[in-house]
Amino acid sequence: MVTPSSTSVPAATGPDAWWRAAVFYQVYPRSFADANGDGVGDLRGVRDRLDYLKALGIDALWLCPVMRSPMADGGYDVSDPRDIDPLFGDLAAMDELLAAAHERGIKVTMDLVPNHTSDQHPWFAAALAAGPDSPQRARYIFRDGRGPGGSEPPNNWPSVFGGPAWTRITEPDGSPGQWYLHIFAPEQPDLNWVDPEVLADFEQTVRFWLDRGVDGFRIDVAHGMAKPDGLPDMANVDTRMLLHDDDDPRFNNPAVHEIHRELRKVLDEYPGAVSIGEVWVDDNIRFGEYVRPDELHLAFNFRLVDTGFDATEIRAAVDNSIEAVSAVGASPTWTLSNHDIEREVTRYGGGAVGTARARAMLLLELALPGTVFLYNGSELGLPNVDDLPDEVLQDPAWERSGHTERGRDGCRVPIPWGGEAPTFEFTTGRPWLPIPPQWSQLTVEAQSERPDSTLSLYRLAIEIRRARTEFTGEAVEWLPAPAGCLILRRPGGLRCVLNASTEPIPLPVGEVLLASAPLADGLLPPDAAAWVV
C-alpha cells in the first residue's frame, strides 16, 4: 500500500493570475492547419480552426515561432523578431488571429527566442562585416581560436544538434578569422546578453507584441542567455541530443536571473501578461529561482515527461514538481509532450497499451493543481511517426549528427482533420511531412462522432475540470492505494485513481465523474484512471 501524505502549492492571487489554473494548447503552426494549400500550416489555418479549440475547452494558445526566419530550425532561428514570416502569413493575419481568439475567450501567447538570432539577422551580417573588437561583434559571442593560428575552437563545448558549438568565419580581408558561439545550429549564433543593446532590443520586441494584443510569451531556452566568465571547458562532453545536466556550463548561469527580472519589469506594465520559461534544470532550488515573484510567472517542469508509467515514479515526479515551486509562491506546470519530445502514446508503449496509458495520464494531469500544457494532436491520441523517409527529415539534428540522430520530426507530423486518406484535410497541397494513411481513424472528424474517442475524453475532462468545485484547492494528498496504483485527493473533494498495475482494482466509494476506460463490474482496469467524488 502507498502511504498517505500531502503537498501543497500557493493559492492563486488576483484576477490577472488567470494562468495559474489554465489549460494551454500548444500549436506547432507548420503542422496545425494549412489555409493556402502550400503544404505548410499558417496563421489563417489556426484562425479557421478556433471553433474546434473553443469546443475543446482550452483557455489559451501557445504559438511556436511565427516570426520572420530562414527556417533552419523550424523558426527558432529568427531574422526579424518583430515581423511575421511569409510562410505563416503577415502581421495582418496575426492581428486577425488575435482578435478572433479573444472574441472566443481564448488568450494567445507566442514563442520568443532570446538566446540567439538567425545568422541572417541584420545584426549578424553587420558583425561579420565590422571585424574583431567592433560594437557590432559585441552583440554576439566572438572569440579568437586556440592552437596554431587560432585554428581550434575557443573551448570544447558541443552544439545541442551535434558537432562543435563554434564556427570559424572568414574576416572581411579574406583571412581565417574569429569563431562565434552557437549552442544550437551554426545558423543560430548566440547573443551576448552582457551587451546593453541586446536587452534594449528584446524589450522593444516584447512591447511590440504586447501592444498588438498578445497575452504573453513562452521563453525559449529560458535557462540560457547568460554564459560563464571565461567560457571554461566542459568537464564532461556528452553530445546526446537534448541531454540536460545541471553542471553544464552552457546553461543555468546565475546572471540569467537578472535578465528575467528586466523582462518582468516590462511584463508588469501589461496586466495579465504571462511569461513561461523553458527551463531544463533538475535541482529544485535552482529551478525555483526562475519563478520567484520578480522573474518568470511559470516555468515548464518536465518531470512527468521523463517518467515512465510507474506509480512510484509518477508520485515522485508530482511531489518534486510541486516542491520545486512552492517555496517561491509559484504554480506548478504539467505537460506530457511537446514539439521536442516523443509523443506520449509512443512513449508509454505504443498501440492500444500506449493509448490507454496516455488517456489515463491525461486524467492524472488534469487532476493536479496548477497549469496544464497540451500539445496539438495529443487530444487525438496521435503516436510518433518514427518511419518517416530519410529524404523528408528536416530537423537540423539529422544533418548535424551525420544522419545518426533522426531528430524531432516524428512528433511534428501534421494534424489529420477529416476524410479517409492523406492529406486528411490538413492541406489541399502536399504536406511538409507525410501523414500516415493509418491515421484515418484518428482524424478530428472520425473521433468527433465517437463518445469513447480520445478527443471526446479530452473535451469532457477539460469541461469537468472547469465546472466542478471538487477541483479547487492547492494541496495534493496521497491516499492509501493498492500496490502499483495511486490515489490523490484535492481539498475540494476530487479523488483521482490511477491503476498502473496489472490487475483491476476497486474504486473508492463515491460518484465516478469520468474514467479513461470502461469499468468492468465496477473495477478500474489496468492502464486506466478515474475521477471520483
Side-chain angles (χ1 to χ4, degrees):
M1 300 283 284
V2 179
T3 56
S5 67
S6 64
T7 311
S8 63
V9 299
T13 55
D16 292 334
W18 59 268
W19 34 266
R20 278 196 182 269
V23 176
F24 283 75
Y25 183 93
Q26 180 191 356
V27 171
Y28 193 70
R30 296 171 68 95
S31 299
F32 189 67
D34 172 26
N36 65 5
D38 66 356
V40 179
D42 47 44
L43 291 175
R44 190 156 63 88
V46 179
R47 187 194 66 193
D48 291 346
R49 298 290 185 175
L50 283 174
D51 287 335
Y52 164 77
L53 296 172
K54 175 71 173 177
L56 186 60
I58 55 99
D59 300 295
L61 300 181
W62 154 28
L63 290 175
C64 285
V66 291
M67 291 83 76
R68 192 172 287 270
S69 166
M71 300 295 162
D73 182 25
Y76 285 94
D77 51 314
V78 179
S79 57
D80 185 346
R82 297 186 285 276
D83 197 7
I84 297 295
D85 193 272
L87 186 68
F88 302 118
D90 53 23
L91 284 171
M94 184 66 179
D95 292 341
E96 291 167 4
L97 171 59
L98 288 168
H102 290 158
E103 286 173 3
R104 291 163 174 80
I106 298 173
K107 297 184 183 294
V108 180
T109 62
M110 63 188 301
D111 250 307
L112 287 184
V113 187
N115 182 72
H116 47 265
T117 71
S118 166
D119 63 347
Q120 302 302 306
H121 192 289
W123 274 11
F124 195 69
L128 295 180
D133 302 320
S134 62
Q136 291 84 355
R137 284 207 184 168
R139 298 165 175 156
Y140 295 91
I141 301 176
F142 281 85
R143 294 291 186 274
D144 295 331
R146 299 193 291 196
S151 60
E152 298 176 9
N155 66 22
N156 68 350
W157 292 2
S159 161
V160 169
F161 293 146
W166 296 90
T167 291
R168 195 175 195 185
I169 67 166
T170 299
E171 296 293 352
D173 63 4
S175 64
Q178 290 187 305
W179 299 71
Y180 69 89
L181 179 69
H182 52 86
I183 298 299
F184 295 89
E187 296 88 350
Q188 296 167 290
D190 277 43
L191 287 163
N192 174 24
W193 276 84
V194 174
D195 189 292
E197 278 194 81
V198 174
L199 175 61
D201 188 74
F202 193 69
E203 290 180 345
Q204 185 179 348
T205 295
V206 169
R207 286 193 170 91
F208 176 87
W209 292 112
L210 291 174
D211 287 341
R212 296 191 89 91
V214 169
D215 298 289
F217 306 98
R218 179 261 191 186
I219 309 297
D220 186 59
V221 196
H223 61 315
M225 293 104 86
K227 306 300 188 291
D229 292 341
L231 306 179
D233 278 346
M234 294 176 66
N236 298 296
V237 177
D238 194 325
T239 59
R240 285 176 291 171
M241 187 178 175
L242 297 180
L243 181 78
H244 50 98
D245 178 352
D246 284 358
D247 294 324
D248 187 337
R250 299 174 298 175
F251 302 105
N252 197 34
N253 291 285
V256 75
H257 296 289
E258 186 56 35
I259 296 171
H260 288 302
R261 291 188 189 100
E262 293 300 320
L263 170 61
R264 181 61 177 268
K265 291 176 184 177
V266 178
L267 287 166
D268 284 347
E269 298 172 13
Y270 298 80
V274 65
S275 57
I276 309 153
E278 179 194 25
V279 177
W280 291 90
V281 174
D282 288 334
D283 180 80
N284 280 350
I285 294 176
R286 296 172 75 183
F287 182 92
E289 291 172 348
Y290 286 87
V291 285
R292 288 177 289 198
D294 61 345
E295 296 193 37
L296 295 163
H297 295 94
L298 299 169
F300 283 105
N301 191 307
F302 299 103
R303 296 279 182 175
L304 280 182
V305 167
D306 291 337
T307 299
F309 194 73
D310 175 89
T312 301
E313 293 180 11
I314 293 168
R315 175 172 169 171
V318 169
D319 285 343
N320 188 288
S321 299
I322 293 175
E323 291 166 5
V325 298
S326 61
V328 292
S331 292
T333 62
W334 313 102
T335 190
L336 297 173
S337 57
N338 65 31
H339 65 294
D340 287 331
I341 299 166
E342 187 177 52
R343 287 190 176 275
E344 53 263 63
V345 167
T346 299
R347 211 170 59 245
Y348 293 137
V353 169
T355 299
R357 291 174 174 177
R359 288 166 60 98
M361 288 299 292
L362 170 72
L363 294 197
L364 178 85
E365 180 182 36
L366 289 175
L368 295 167
T371 311
V372 173
F373 291 84
L374 309 176
Y375 177 47
N376 59 203
S378 64
E379 78 277 15
L380 304 177
L382 299 184
N384 245 50
V385 183
D386 295 327
D387 58 352
L388 290 168
D390 291 356
E391 61 269 18
V392 306
L393 296 180
Q394 300 189 32
D395 193 315
W398 174 242
E399 293 296 334
R400 292 279 293 169
S401 67
H403 295 180
T404 60
E405 294 277 355
R406 292 183 63 81
R408 301 157 292 177
D409 289 322
C411 67
R412 299 175 176 181
V413 172
I415 300 297
W417 290 98
E420 298 297 326
T423 60
F424 296 120
E425 300 177 8
F426 164 72
T427 180
T428 57
R430 181 180 180 180
W432 73 283
L433 288 174
I435 308 174
Q438 60 267 31
W439 282 11
S440 60
Q441 296 304 306
L442 298 178
T443 67
V444 171
E445 180 181 51
Q447 295 202 43
S448 294
E449 302 300 320
R450 302 200 314 267
D452 63 342
S453 70
T454 298
L455 176 57
S456 295
L457 177 71
Y458 268 70
R459 285 174 173 168
L460 186 54
I462 294 171
E463 179 184 355
I464 291 172
R465 180 183 188 261
R466 174 179 288 112
R468 300 287 299 219
T469 59
E470 289 90 349
F471 288 78
T472 57
E474 306 303 323
V476 168
E477 179 184 4
W478 298 103
L479 303 179
C485 302
L486 293 173
I487 303 176
L488 69 84
R489 180 167 60 193
R490 295 280 296 279
L494 174 74
R495 288 164 292 173
C496 179
V497 183
L498 178 74
N499 185 359
S501 75
T502 59
E503 299 294 333
I505 62 168
L507 289 171
V509 175
E511 175 192 357
V512 177
L513 290 180
L514 186 62
S516 66
L519 304 183
D521 297 323
L523 301 178
L524 184 68
D527 303 325
W531 290 343
V532 182
V533 296

